[in-house]
Amino acid sequence: MNRRTVRRPLAVVSAAVVSSALLAGCAEEIPAPQAGEPFSGPVLTEEQDVAIIEAVSATLDKADKSRTSADLKARVTGPALEVRKSQLKVAKANDSNEFVTAIPNNSQQMIIPTTNTWPRTSFSITERLENMETPRLVVFEQDTARKPYKMWAWVQLVPGINMPHFADTRIGSEPLAPDDGELLVASPADALAQYADIVSLGTKKSSFADTFDLPDADLVARVQGDAKNVRATPGFDDADGKYTVEFTAREDDVRVVRTADGGALVVGVLDGKSKLTTEEGAEVQAYSKTQETLLGDADPTNKLVVGYTDTVALYVPPKDSGEKVRSLGYSHVATSASN
Amino acid sequence: MLQRILGGVLVLLGLATVALGVASATVWRATDTVVATAEPVGDGTMIITDPGVLGLVSDDVTVTATVPEGQRVTLAVGRDVDVLGWVGEDPFSRVTGLSDWESLRVTEGEAPADEAAADDEAAADDEAAADDEAAAEEPVTGPEPAGSDMWVAETSDEGTVTLRWSDRPGRWTLLAAGVGEGAQAPTLELTWPRAVSTPYLWPGIGVGAVLVLLGAAVIVVGGRRSKARAARTGRGDTTRQESRAGSRDLGSVSAPETDDGAQDASPAPFAGANPFAPVRATERPANTPAWTAGPAGASEPAEPAAPAGAAASSIPPAPDEAAEPVAGENGSGTAEVPVAARLLRRSRRQQREQAGWPAQGENAAPEEAGAVGQPVADVAPAPVPQPVPDHAAPEPTITGSMPRLTRRELRAQEEARRAAEQGGVARVLRAVTGSVPAVRQSPAAEPAATEQEGSPDLSTPAGRAAAWRATWGFGSDQNDGTTDQENR
């Protein structure tokens, strides 16, 4: 009896404890936010990049149709805007888009940067065009966070070149500063300047020619070929003709991204100028429809100065690779002419 | 008593636990969704969430942003650096987590220092973008985040806008912005589905059931214990009576010899019966209705019992040493034994009366008269009160006859009690109500026992004689009695 009476209150107490514990358990703890790992990958997904490419292409199409450069501004900037404006001007004057570079809206390779700051630069290599023109390497840039990505530049790849490999879009490629040549055979800015020197002087006169591995159909070949043609024009020597070309790299307009092998893809702008002078009284005709259009209805004189806004793409290999800097592609467009 | 109360408490506690368990899964069941709201603080037209807030409760979240009527609101999800970069220097509110289950904790956000200058400059420079999205950019105008290439999800509408987001790895941030002139930061409402478990349902029911069973067990055990106690005390009486019965028999045999030498010594059994009958006769006037009812008198348990007690007490204290204990037992027993036991004993007495007296008082007397002859008859009609006090003989006969009856009755009663105890419903009822079983059960079981024994026989003289014999333990019944005794 005694044991029973002792045990029963115990049971009552334990039951009360258990039930109160159960009720106390009802109050669920409020979760705290668990911030994930900081982003270190690409700033864009492939889908986003595709959307950007299509948006840019749509803008280009619209501007190509209206041939008004104002339509470009939403999605075109930098050197590309300059060039495109010029091309649209020529197109409008000639009522033909013959000399407007076509930029396909597809992409065979996207190169997406990894960065948490602005500006951000992404690259895209388009497919080969329907008319068998070589693929374009297009550069997009987001200047600030509140701005959209815009086409900053494009180049046409040189046929037969060996493109470097790039990191997968899910990994992203590291952007490099133009003067960051620590792991490269030359800093991107230097490589560009040297290339400009070669373009200006030709492979024979430039001292940097040895450090470059130049394809047969790059900008050097083009400019020097043109110069050769001009100089070889009948009567050129008789008229005391002088033809000089000068290309300089724009220091600010250089975009660099690291390739998969540790090298760098460099896209930069060369300001070019060709100057043709003859003896007094002679008349120099424009060489091309573009120049003619740019000249307008100015009367021909014995002088012709043509300005170019050229974009070039170079591959700067890593330091100890033993490779030379390669020229990958270029865009050679006359944007001004005067006499 | 105490056990019943405690058992009841346990049962109630168990029921309460079950109720709580059920309530936790029904009434108090947490909602399937967690809805938390955030009011913007400070200036600015934007409110952003810290990384991890979107996936705070579950991976799927529905975000609703509301601005006053007529204004435009945009929701966008992007990487935290992108959103912060987009917000730039502008003031904004920052959701840092849940402050409780219904509201979000909001603080005033501070702009990261690095990209401040460039942002402003670029914004001033670039009119190209301005004419599209923020054409009429004025100081109070809320910038429009919609259309940025950086967002992975966005939506924009007037008044209220809703965005669904499934969280993924990484620091994803929500940007909600009131857009346009005179814009203000929207009010955010985040809704997460929640897998609501009912962890207390079955434990509650289980624990409650255990408590209920425990309580029931306590009540039953308590009831049985008290009954057992009662039965023990009751049996103690009877066994004592019985054990003395032997000596009393001897005593009763010897008693007539010494005290009542005039009467025959040879019909010793009758000597006991002779004085007994008058006692019955004295009793009978007191409760005639009960006796006329005969065996049916079982329907009134209490009344017959009382006369029985009265009979016991009315028997004058016998000078005989054998008679003394009987009276003493009755007196002390009623005083000491608890209610249940007392009732039990009363019913036993009642049984005794019903089974024993009719067979003896009514029927046995004539038979005795027929069989034995005068001595019995002489005594029987005699005025009842007188003989008893006068002769010492009645006392030994009483004591002698009682054990005989008691043994038989005890057996029947014990069987009845066991049968009643094993009955499931009766047991449960007893456990729940705490009613005393002894009163109810014995009348139910008893008639059967008596019927088997002698009631059909009573109609014929032979049957009556058999009943009488059985009652008095003659013949084979006597053997039965001994075997019973052995069994017991």
Side-chain angles (χ1 to χ4, degrees):
Chain A
M1 186 66 181
N2 274 341
R3 225 198 290 159
R4 277 231 156 215
T5 43
V6 168
R7 213 183 289 158
R8 204 138 335 98
L10 271 180
V12 171
V13 166
S14 59
V17 166
V18 165
S19 43
S20 60
L22 286 175
L23 285 178
C26 287
E28 222 175 300
E29 218 169 283
I30 292 176
Q34 302 281 321
E37 288 289 305
F39 288 104
S40 57
V43 296
L44 295 170
T45 64
E46 218 167 275
E47 292 75 29
Q48 285 176 312
D49 207 9
V50 166
I52 291 167
I53 291 168
E54 285 173 353
V56 168
S57 184
T59 302
L60 289 176
D61 286 348
K62 185 183 166 196
D64 287 351
K65 277 185 188 121
S66 69
R67 289 171 188 155
T68 50
S69 54
D71 286 346
L72 293 171
K73 287 180 180 174
R75 285 286 186 178
V76 185
T77 186
L81 185 60
E82 291 175 35
V83 174
R84 204 68 178 185
K85 268 182 179 173
S86 173
Q87 288 186 332
L88 287 180
K89 193 172 156 190
V90 171
K92 192 171 188 180
N94 296 308
D95 196 19
S96 160
N97 285 1
E98 190 189 346
F99 304 108
V100 176
T101 311
I103 312 287
N105 68 347
N106 51 32
S107 176
Q108 59 169 294
Q109 176 153 32
M110 287 177 279
I111 302 153
I112 302 173
T114 58
T115 178
N116 286 334
T117 58
W118 286 266
R120 295 172 174 177
T121 308
S122 72
F123 301 77
S124 169
I125 300 169
T126 71
E127 303 283 355
R128 184 176 287 273
L129 273 67
E130 283 173 21
N131 58 7
M132 297 310 284
E133 281 184 46
T134 55
R136 277 48 162 156
L137 169 66
V138 187
V139 183
F140 302 93
E141 182 163 86
Q142 186 186 29
D143 194 16
T144 67
R146 289 197 189 182
K147 300 247 184 75
Y149 280 82
K150 297 180 180 183
M151 184 172 75
W152 181 83
W154 77 85
V155 299
Q156 286 135 286
L157 295 183
V158 175
I161 50 108
N162 189 11
M163 277 299 281
H165 294 287
F166 296 93
D168 190 88
T169 51
R170 285 162 298 184
I171 296 166
S173 303
E174 180 195 0
L176 286 176
D179 54 356
D180 183 3
E182 206 178 322
L183 302 172
L184 305 170
V185 294
S187 81
D190 288 348
L192 201 63
Q194 292 163 12
Y195 187 70
D197 189 69
I198 302 172
V199 172
S200 302
L201 300 176
T203 48
K204 282 175 187 162
K205 290 182 183 169
S206 173
S207 55
F208 302 110
D210 292 344
T211 59
F212 278 76
D213 184 9
L214 299 173
D216 294 338
D218 78 328
L219 185 62
V220 176
R222 171 82 180 268
V223 169
Q224 293 301 321
D226 283 350
K228 199 174 175 183
N229 287 342
V230 169
R231 290 182 187 124
T233 309
F236 180 79
D237 291 331
D238 298 339
D240 198 15
K242 265 180 139 182
Y243 186 77
T244 56
V245 286
E246 189 187 356
F247 281 82
T248 53
R250 276 192 210 168
E251 277 183 19
D252 295 335
D253 285 345
V254 184
R255 301 293 181 264
V256 189
V257 68
R258 198 180 289 282
T259 60
D261 60 2
L265 171 69
V266 181
V267 177
V269 175
L270 304 182
D271 283 321
K273 192 159 73 171
S274 68
K275 193 173 172 186
L276 175 62
T277 52
T278 55
E279 59 180 0
E280 288 291 326
E283 284 185 2
V284 176
Q285 300 294 323
Y287 310 127
S288 69
K289 193 95 174 173
T290 302
Q291 291 174 13
E292 198 179 292
T293 310
L294 290 171
L295 267 178
D297 27 340
D299 289 332
T301 62
N302 66 334
K303 194 172 104 183
L304 180 65
V305 179
V306 178
Y308 298 89
T309 303
D310 287 0
T311 309
V312 296
L314 303 176
Y315 166 67
V316 181
K319 201 166 225 170
D320 301 321
S321 63
E323 290 182 58
K324 295 178 177 178
V325 178
R326 295 206 301 268
S327 169
L328 300 175
Y330 68 93
S331 156
H332 180 62
V333 179
T335 51
S336 67
S338 62
N339 51 16
Chain B
M1 202 59 170
L2 188 63
Q3 281 175 333
R4 271 211 298 279
I5 291 172
L6 287 170
V9 167
L10 276 183
V11 167
L12 285 180
L13 211 69
L15 291 176
T17 310
V18 169
L20 288 177
V22 170
S24 79
T26 53
V27 185
W28 297 331
R29 186 173 190 260
T31 48
D32 287 339
T33 53
V34 174
V35 181
T37 53
E39 295 286 345
V41 296
D43 300 333
T45 60
M46 290 171 280
I47 181 166
I48 72 168
T49 63
D50 271 5
V53 169
L54 285 178
L56 202 53
V57 178
S58 77
D59 282 350
D60 292 311
V61 63
T62 303
V63 183
T64 303
T66 309
V67 288
E69 200 70 31
Q71 293 192 6
R72 194 168 182 80
V73 60
T74 295
L75 282 175
V77 178
R79 305 173 353 137
D80 60 338
V81 282
D82 294 354
V83 170
L84 285 172
W86 195 93
V87 170
E89 283 250 286
D90 290 350
F92 64 97
S93 300
R94 198 172 133 228
V95 177
T96 56
L98 282 171
S99 59
D100 56 58
W101 280 110
E102 262 142 36
S103 52
L104 294 158
R105 198 167 50 238
V106 185
T107 61
E108 218 163 320
E110 65 257 24
D114 19 341
E115 56 222 298
D119 202 327
D120 273 8
E121 235 174 277
D125 283 350
D126 201 299
E127 298 124 66
D131 50 17
D132 260 4
E133 284 148 19
E137 192 151 336
E138 287 173 329
V140 217
T141 301
E144 169 68 284
S148 171
D149 295 325
M150 300 186 293
W151 310 147
V152 291
E154 68 165 61
T155 179
S156 186
D157 207 342
E158 303 234 328
T160 301
V161 73
T162 299
L163 176 71
R164 298 189 64 135
W165 171 253
S166 295
D167 208 24
R168 46 191 97 170
R171 297 188 171 189
W172 297 101
T173 294
L174 172 81
L175 168 66
V179 183
E181 258 180 76
Q184 46 184 277
T187 300
L188 273 186
E189 184 186 279
L190 272 61
T191 306
W192 292 277
R194 178 166 57 172
V196 181
S197 59
T198 53
Y200 306 111
L201 174 60
W202 291 114
I205 288 174
V207 169
V210 166
L211 285 177
V212 167
L213 289 178
L214 211 70
V218 164
I219 290 174
V220 167
V221 168
R224 194 180 289 173
R225 270 178 164 237
S226 62
K227 196 190 303 158
R229 223 180 305 125
R232 214 182 303 132
T233 49
R235 197 186 301 167
D237 283 347
T238 55
T239 44
R240 255 176 284 156
Q241 282 177 345
E242 276 174 45
S243 65
R244 272 162 206 150
S247 63
R248 254 182 252 146
D249 281 343
L250 293 175
S252 68
V253 170
S254 60
E257 280 171 2
T258 51
D259 299 333
D260 206 0
Q263 294 198 337
D264 295 338
S266 50
F270 300 115
N274 288 350
F276 208 69
V279 173
R280 283 301 120 196
T282 53
E283 297 287 349
R284 227 179 296 157
N287 46 352
T288 16
W291 287 114
T292 48
S299 55
E300 310 104 72
E303 279 107 278
S313 56
S314 73
I315 295 170
D320 191 59
E321 27 93 42
E324 260 176 41
V326 177
E329 271 164 15
N330 281 344
S332 66
T334 41
E336 285 167 8
V337 176
V339 179
R342 194 158 42 195
L343 288 174
L344 193 74
R345 192 192 282 180
R346 270 190 204 163
S347 72
R348 200 186 304 135
R349 244 183 248 132
Q350 171 198 340
Q351 282 179 335
R352 210 181 293 150
E353 288 156 6
Q354 286 168 357
W357 293 124
Q360 215 169 322
E362 305 260 23
N363 305 324
E367 205 181 13
E368 281 161 30
V372 183
Q374 284 75 18
V376 179
D378 289 343
V379 182
V384 181
Q386 285 83 4
V388 182
D390 287 351
H391 302 285
E395 280 100 66
T397 48
I398 291 169
T399 53
S401 68
M402 286 293 276
R404 289 299 175 192
L405 291 172
T406 309
R407 187 189 298 163
R408 182 158 301 283
E409 290 316 314
L410 273 176
R411 181 154 40 102
Q413 182 194 333
E414 191 67 22
E415 280 165 6
R417 194 178 62 78
R418 279 191 202 132
E421 262 182 15
Q422 278 154 14
V425 178
R427 188 177 179 175
V428 170
L429 267 176
R430 227 183 307 139
V432 173
T433 60
S435 67
V436 181
V439 177
R440 283 173 151 265
Q441 81 192 30
S442 38
E446 178 230 330
T450 50
E451 215 121 70
Q452 280 176 350
E453 285 292 316
S455 60
D457 298 353
L458 295 181
S459 54
T460 63
R464 266 181 248 129
W468 186 89
R469 252 180 263 115
T471 307
W472 289 92
F474 287 116
S476 60
D477 276 17
Q478 209 163 19
N479 296 335
D480 286 346
T482 49
T483 48
D484 269 353
Q485 221 161 11
E486 277 164 23
N487 286 340
R488 213 167 275 159

